[in-house]
Amino acid sequence: RTRAMPAERSDRREASQLRAMECELRPLNQADGSARFNFSRSSVLAGVHGPREGKYSQKESGESIVVVNFGAKGAVGSGWDRGNEAVLRECLEAMVMRSHNPMCVIDVTLQPMCDDGAQLAASVNAAVAALIDAGVALRFVGVGVCCAVTREGALLLDPTREEEEEAATVVTFVIRPSDGAVVTSLCSAPLAQDVYLHALDAARASAVTILTFIRMALERRGGHEMMC
């Protein structure tokens, strides 16, 4: 169960405390939209190209297609699971208003700059900010939140890489902050329902904080009108 008191965290945060965040818009000059999102040292860079006309085989659908690529294989993103690309694509396609650009492709490229935990969550947030920066219309905005459950049963929000490696389970949520709906969740190992629900409560509360932070960054760049 997740009621145990965690040992003091190495960075002296409370168990339910996010790390300092940073969201930089348009770090890439040659992309249609780009963003770099950080949870402290954990950093992901996202670039968006498109919407662009798709290849013949991609024009069979009456909606746009989102393609997710993960760069720098074997580089600093050592904790990345290649299967996460499919998870990200499904999440982003759910968010994108795909009927606005039929028979087009939206390419999203993600590159880890530093992996210090919660990398999938940071990737979601970077990709969403980059899509908005590119002017891609969204049905809704979802944000990524990561939680770790220690072997003693304590819940740690936004874990570092060291905390992830020592945890019994790591769960990443993509949450729609407007109503708390779960877009998807990914667990590194099975966990009990009560543990999952406790982690979900923490993720929902944090999702609002993360969205507010991203919105502030977008407002500084004049992109808040695309927020849903």
Side-chain angles (χ1 to χ4, degrees), residues 33 55 102 114 129 159 163 182 191 207 214:
K55 298 178 182 178
C114 183
E163 289 172 336
V182 179
L191 70 168
I214 294 174

Side-chain angles (χ1 to χ4, degrees), residues 139-152:
R139 296 174 56 238
F140 63 90
V141 172
V143 300
V145 187
C146 184
C147 300
V149 180
T150 69
R151 300 185 189 282
E152 294 74 30

Side-chain angles (χ1 to χ4, degrees), residues 156-177:
L156 302 178
L157 184 68
D158 185 23
T160 64
R161 185 81 180 139
E162 181 182 8
E163 289 172 336
E164 287 183 345
E165 291 173 346
E166 294 177 352
T169 308
V170 177
V171 55
T172 300
F173 296 95
V174 180
I175 302 287
R176 187 168 61 195

